[in-house]
């Protein structure tokens, strides 16, 4: 494997937290205990008031971090502490106000406790999103007890200047919104459940940093890295960043800056297999060497309390001059465990610490990297997908409505309540289920309920085309986004809802006689005068020009069959399904005449 250089990619890393579910420890107590023990437990369970000495503080480096929040750029005042970035809790609550993941923050001085309440509008106290003096500071571990909806949380947090700072991913996990790194940007998406994206994050990082390919020169089993490996790593990184001088060399200080960051030490001998000192100038230049490429897929990993990760990867080597084709295809194949046609597979052990710089960028500080030998085992990439007990499986449902059968695949925790079927159902005004776009006050259409457990989370309605839709389809061919909306414009007329701007066609027959699209339905708050709707907790809320609840969104699906002149309209509470689940339901939706 000499003269070969390897790219490597992995899939995930941290222990999986199922969507919205967390592993909790159960505390078992005896029924009868002594009075002394009661007193001991009472004092032990009381929120502790801790006096923090100067020795307990750590350095907090001020930084301004750009985060993309639901598609919009937001700059946060933040601090980098021990190579991790921390955000002010009240800034996050303020920015998420009006979304489906909004939360209130309250502090109780007497108990030294912070209480978070999910779904509640955040009450600003002043100073949110304020631009600070850009000075570094001292951070002390937060001594307050933290509760979410009455349950105690165990989160790493720091107090800086009277404000509490948390890791963004920790807040995303407990509040169940997604945090990811996309194209180098930290992204918050409140319409997606939290999921651990470590595998994807590592894959992108390693493939964006080809200098890692030079860290396999040392003998197998050796700890640490040779001066030559660190020199080659530094030279390629400087080349990537655009300041490597392969002829005249670079300074020792430039090398030191890189190796101290990525390896925690300096190069001792620059005259090695990968670099040499230019006698006349003392600058460091590369010796002659070349490389190929490699890919790596995570197999398993462990992590110590101090953040050291020990991971085993599958490694596939692409030699110099070889071309395996499209990068996206390679990534899809390898991460799914399809290694066929990609050459020999090796196992690799790597120890590293995941860190973050002041711009929010992730990097590895490497401890060791060793090849374990070739393997012929069936690839089993590390996976954080939910097991069969999670609600990611789908079950086909057939519903007889009027003269038709409507079929679709719903998450296995959902069911159709056929007992609610009625030819004279006015879903919005009579049944008070807070679904508006399915009917108007004077329109009666066949409707059934979608339930999750005993709770109504959606509704399905079957509607006739009032007019021949061919004209609208003609417009649709010219402008798919605008005129697919126009095609369905007749449906909400007279109801308490309008269409949002988000339309996505997910299925069409070749002759355009059948099709489905996912949509957003939105309600204007001034339409609710005189109605019984009071609970907006399951709607995605939006603030426009400072006014909350001007628009309230739910997820929807529109499907049609022109051969039988029928529409199906489905509306689901915004938090009832993910975007992926909504798309799956839409792809499976079909309308047919009864046999």
């Amino acid at each position: 494997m000499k003269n070969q250089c390897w790219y490597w990619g992995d899939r995930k890393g941290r222990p999986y937290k199922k969507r919205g579910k967390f592993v909790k420890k159960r505390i078992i107590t005896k029924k009868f205990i002594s009075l002394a023990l009661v007193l001991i437990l009472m004092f032990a369970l009381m929120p502790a008031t801790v006096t923090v000495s100067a020795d307990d503080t750590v350095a907090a480096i001020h930084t301004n971090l750009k985060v993309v929040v639901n598609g919009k750029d937001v700059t946060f005042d933040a601090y980098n502490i021990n190579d991790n970035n921390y955000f002010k809790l009240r800034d996050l609550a303020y920015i998420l106000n009006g979304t489906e993941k909004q939360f209130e923050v309250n502090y109780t001085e007497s108990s030294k406790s912070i209480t978070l309440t999910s779904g509640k509008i955040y009450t600003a106290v002043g100073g949110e999103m304020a631009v600070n003096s850009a000075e570094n500071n001292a951070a002390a571990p937060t001594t307050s007890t933290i509760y979410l909806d009455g349950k105690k949380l165990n989160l790493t947090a720091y107090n800086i200047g009277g404000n509490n700072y948390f890791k963004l991913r920790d807040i995303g996990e407990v509040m169940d919104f997604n945090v990811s790194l996309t194209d180098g940007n930290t992204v918050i998406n409140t319409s997606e459940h939290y999921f651990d994206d470590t595998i994807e994050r590592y894959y992108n990082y390693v493939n964006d940093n080809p200098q890692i390919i030079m860290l396999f020169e040392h003998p197998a089993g050796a700890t640490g890295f040779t001066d030559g490996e660190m020199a080659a790593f530094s030279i390629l990184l400087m080349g990537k960043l655009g300041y490597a001088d392969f002829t005249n060399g670079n300074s020792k200080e430039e090398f030191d800056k890189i190796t101290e960051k990525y390896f925690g030490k300096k190069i001792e001998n620059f005259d090695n297999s990968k670099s040499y000192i230019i006698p006349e100038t003392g600058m460091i230049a590369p010796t002659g060497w070349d490389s190929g490429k490699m890919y790596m897929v995570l197999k398993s990993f462990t992590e110590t309390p101090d953040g050291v990760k020990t991971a085993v990867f599958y490694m596939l080597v692409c030699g110099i001059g070889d071309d395996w084709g499209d990068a996206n295809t390679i990534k899809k194949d390898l991460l799914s465990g399809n290694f066929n046609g990609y050459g020999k597979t090796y196992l690799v052990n790597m120890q590293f610490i995941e860190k973050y710089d002041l711009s929010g960028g992730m990097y590895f500080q490497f401890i060791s990297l060793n090849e374990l030998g070739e393997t012929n085992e069936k690839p089993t990439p590390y996976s954080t997908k939910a097991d069969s007990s999670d609600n990611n499986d789908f079950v086909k449902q057939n519903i007889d409505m009027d003269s038709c059968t409507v079929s679709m695949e719903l998450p296995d925790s959902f069911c159709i309540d056929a007992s609610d079927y009625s030819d004279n159902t006015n879903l919005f005004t009579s049944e008070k289920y807070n679904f508006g776009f399915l009917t108007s006050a004077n329109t009666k259409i066949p409707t059934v309920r979608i339930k999750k457990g005993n709770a109504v989370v959606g509704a399905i309605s079957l509607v006739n085309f009032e007019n021949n839709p061919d004209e609208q389809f003609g417009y649709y061919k010219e402008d798919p986004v605008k005129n697919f909306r126009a095609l369905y414009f007749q449906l909400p007329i007279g109801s308490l809802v309008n269409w949002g701007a988000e339309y996505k066609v997910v299925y069409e027959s070749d002759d355009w006689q059948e099709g489905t699209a996912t949509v957003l339905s939105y309600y204007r708050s001034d339409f609710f005068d005189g109605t019984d709707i009071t609970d907006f907790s399951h709607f995605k809320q939006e603030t426009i020009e400072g006014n909350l609840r001007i628009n309230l969104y739910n997820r929807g699906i529109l499907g049609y069959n022109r051969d039988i002149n029928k529409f199906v309209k489905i509306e689901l509470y915004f938090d009832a399904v993910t975007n992926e689940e909504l798309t799956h339901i839409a792809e499976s939706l079909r309308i047919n005449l009864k046999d």
Side-chain angles (χ1 to χ4, degrees), residues 486-501:
L487 171 67
Y488 292 112
F489 183 73
Q490 60 176 310
L491 299 183
I493 291 176
S495 72
L496 303 181
V497 67
N498 291 289
W499 296 124

Side-chain angles (χ1 to χ4, degrees), residues 522-576:
Y522 76 88
Y523 305 77
R524 290 188 60 86
S525 60
D526 53 348
F527 288 175
F528 290 107
D529 294 341
T531 72
D532 296 316
I533 291 185
T534 58
D535 179 14
F536 299 101
S537 61
H538 294 290
F539 290 71
K540 177 184 179 182
Q541 299 178 9
E542 181 180 55
T543 300
I544 298 178
E545 297 178 353
N547 296 315
L548 186 64
R549 292 182 175 172
I550 286 184
N551 288 340
L552 299 136
Y553 292 87
N554 275 334
R555 291 184 168 94
I557 296 172
L558 297 174
Y560 63 87
N561 184 330
R562 296 168 65 199
D563 288 331
I564 59 176
N565 204 39
K566 297 288 186 181
F567 277 99
V568 163
K569 301 182 291 182
I570 301 173
E571 183 173 13
L572 292 150
Y573 275 137
F574 198 92
D575 60 359

Side-chain angles (χ1 to χ4, degrees), residues 391-443:
N391 296 326
N392 287 336
D393 293 333
F394 289 81
V395 177
K396 187 172 182 178
Q397 304 270 3
N398 293 310
I399 311 108
D400 288 336
M401 302 181 71
D402 197 15
S403 60
C404 299
T405 297
V406 178
S407 65
M408 70 193 73
E409 293 182 0
L410 292 173
D412 63 4
S413 60
F414 286 35
C415 67
I416 301 298
D417 191 340
S419 63
D420 277 340
Y421 174 82
S422 171
D423 287 337
N424 296 297
T425 297
N426 187 321
L427 184 62
F428 182 80
T429 59
S430 297
E431 302 299 333
K432 303 177 183 178
Y433 282 119
N434 297 357
F435 296 96
F437 85 75
L438 301 175
T439 66
S440 66
N442 299 312
T443 303

Side-chain angles (χ1 to χ4, degrees), residues 111-259:
S111 61
K112 306 293 184 185
S113 61
I114 301 169
T115 301
L116 311 181
T117 306
S118 61
K120 191 174 181 180
I121 297 173
Y122 172 71
T123 304
V125 297
E128 290 86 354
M129 301 304 295
V131 178
N132 293 325
S133 60
E135 293 182 354
N136 298 337
N137 216 320
T142 293
T143 59
S144 300
T145 307
I146 306 162
Y147 297 92
L148 171 61
D149 297 333
K151 298 178 181 179
K152 186 177 178 180
L153 302 177
N154 293 310
L155 301 177
T156 301
Y158 289 91
N159 190 283
I160 303 173
N163 290 299
N164 292 295
Y165 288 75
F166 293 77
K167 293 179 184 177
L168 179 57
R169 289 183 182 278
D170 285 351
I171 298 299
E173 182 172 354
V174 299
M175 301 308 302
D176 193 28
F177 60 82
N178 191 30
V179 180
S180 63
L181 275 178
T182 304
D183 298 327
N185 296 317
T186 300
V187 177
I188 292 175
N189 189 338
T190 59
S191 67
E192 294 180 353
H193 290 286
Y194 174 85
F195 62 92
D196 190 337
D197 71 333
T198 310
I199 288 177
E200 190 77 13
R201 197 163 72 246
Y202 287 3
Y203 186 92
N204 293 335
Y205 171 75
V206 174
N207 282 279
D208 288 342
N209 289 273
Q211 67 276 6
I212 300 172
I213 61 181
M214 303 308 298
L215 301 181
F216 282 88
E217 184 183 73
H218 58 268
T223 58
F225 299 95
T226 67
D227 287 341
E229 289 171 320
M230 292 191 292
F233 179 99
S234 302
I235 290 167
L236 289 182
L237 180 56
M238 285 187 278
K240 173 192 170 184
L241 298 176
Y243 66 91
D245 190 332
F246 299 113
T247 302
N248 300 311
N250 290 84
S251 68
K252 291 182 179 180
E253 290 75 18
E254 289 173 312
F255 279 83
D256 289 345
K257 185 177 180 179
I258 291 174
T259 59

